[in-house]
Amino acid sequence: ETGVTQSPTHLIKTRGQQVTLRCSSQSGHNTVSWYQQALGQGPQFIFQYYREEENGRGNFPPRFSGLQFPNYSSELNVNALELDDSALYLCASSLGGQGIYEQYFGPGTRLTVT
Amino acid sequence: DQQVKQNSPSLSVQEGRISILNCDYTNSMFDYFLWYKKYPAEGPTFLISISSIKDKNEDGRFTVFLNKSAKHLSLHIVPSQPGDSAVYFCAASEYNNNDMRFGAGTRLTVKP
């Protein structure tokens, strides 16, 4: 059974640029949730995708967008990067539309915006 | 708004003793609570959960207690082992709501 993987591991971008982060869900899981974890804080829910549709969104502006593909892998896109977007971005996969239970997290992508 | 709070950034205990990690929440609509453990360079891993219809859930060395009137939950680890050293996150959610709220975490160090 393959766990949740994320790429890249680290990324450095300049303010105003755009970034795409990728997540492969655990085998058999059809739901992916994305979280932002700023330094010294807990993960903060960005949004969830279930069967290729957005299925809930946290308090993040529209420049945070996502996609889920037929194989249930997912992308997080952030446009017009700001310095405060520097954080660890975590994805978590689960089975079913209610992604709050038994979520399996990837190791994260560390994004630094300069 | 920080609806889930872990007021102790760190905790240090001796191997074999009890570790007690605390968590407070403000949203009375939360009805499902989870604890996650996170090692460096890894994602959080699910540890134990409890629904609001219970006040205790036990899994091996780990027990979670929920006090709804105080809006407080705690995680007890007995006996503590050096491998338990990690950051522990408390999380809470409403049923049918995907927006799971996390605390800021408590770094547990278990000394041999």
Side-chain angles (χ1 to χ4, degrees):
Chain A
E1 186 177 84
T2 307
V4 179
T5 60
Q6 292 186 243
S7 62
T9 307
H10 296 89
L11 200 53
I12 299 175
K13 288 285 189 178
T14 303
R15 188 172 50 184
Q17 286 187 316
Q18 179 266 343
V19 69
T20 297
L21 310 182
R22 295 178 175 82
C23 172
S24 291
S25 59
Q26 182 159 314
S27 177
H29 287 182
N30 55 15
T31 303
V32 173
S33 302
W34 285 93
Y35 294 84
Q36 180 195 66
Q37 186 181 4
L39 200 60
Q41 297 182 24
Q44 188 173 359
F45 177 71
I46 303 175
F47 45 57
Q48 181 186 89
Y49 277 83
Y50 170 60
R51 291 185 175 178
E52 303 179 57
E53 298 282 338
E54 188 176 289
N55 186 42
R57 188 180 182 94
N59 189 27
F60 279 81
R63 59 189 185 84
F64 285 79
S65 62
L67 279 174
Q68 188 177 32
F69 300 98
N71 66 355
Y72 302 128
S73 65
S74 177
E75 286 183 354
L76 164 65
N77 298 291
V78 187
N79 293 322
L81 283 167
E82 301 177 0
L83 296 179
D84 285 349
D85 295 334
S86 294
L88 180 69
Y89 288 84
L90 296 162
C91 80
S93 75
S94 57
L95 184 60
Q98 290 182 18
I100 62 171
Y101 308 123
E102 298 290 347
Q103 292 190 95
Y104 294 82
F105 282 84
T109 293
R110 172 79 56 192
L111 172 65
T112 302
V113 182
T114 61
Chain B
D1 61 346
Q2 201 174 359
Q3 297 187 24
V4 178
K5 294 182 181 180
Q6 294 176 257
N7 292 319
S8 298
S10 62
L11 174 68
S12 182
V13 300
Q14 208 66 35
E15 181 179 5
R17 306 293 289 268
I18 183 171
S19 295
I20 300 177
L21 296 95
N22 293 303
C23 177
D24 297 295
Y25 62 95
T26 57
N27 187 345
S28 58
M29 298 299 290
F30 286 148
D31 51 17
Y32 198 74
F33 305 88
L34 308 91
W35 284 93
Y36 282 84
K37 179 169 72 172
K38 186 179 187 301
Y39 293 119
E42 295 182 12
T45 55
F46 171 76
L47 194 57
I48 192 169
S49 64
I50 188 169
S51 73
S52 59
I53 62 172
K54 293 185 175 182
D55 54 19
K56 176 182 175 182
N57 188 25
E58 193 171 350
D59 184 1
R61 297 186 297 114
F62 303 91
T63 303
V64 56
F65 295 92
L66 175 62
N67 183 333
K68 290 185 289 293
S69 61
K71 295 191 179 67
H72 177 84
L73 65 156
S74 60
L75 174 68
H76 292 210
I77 307 174
V78 184
S80 300
Q81 300 174 353
D84 296 330
S85 297
V87 176
Y88 289 78
F89 291 102
C90 166
S93 184
E94 300 175 45
Y95 185 76
N96 268 339
N97 187 333
N98 301 320
D99 188 353
M100 186 161 59
R101 300 297 178 106
F102 282 80
T106 296
R107 181 176 301 278
L108 173 66
T109 303
V110 181
K111 298 179 179 178

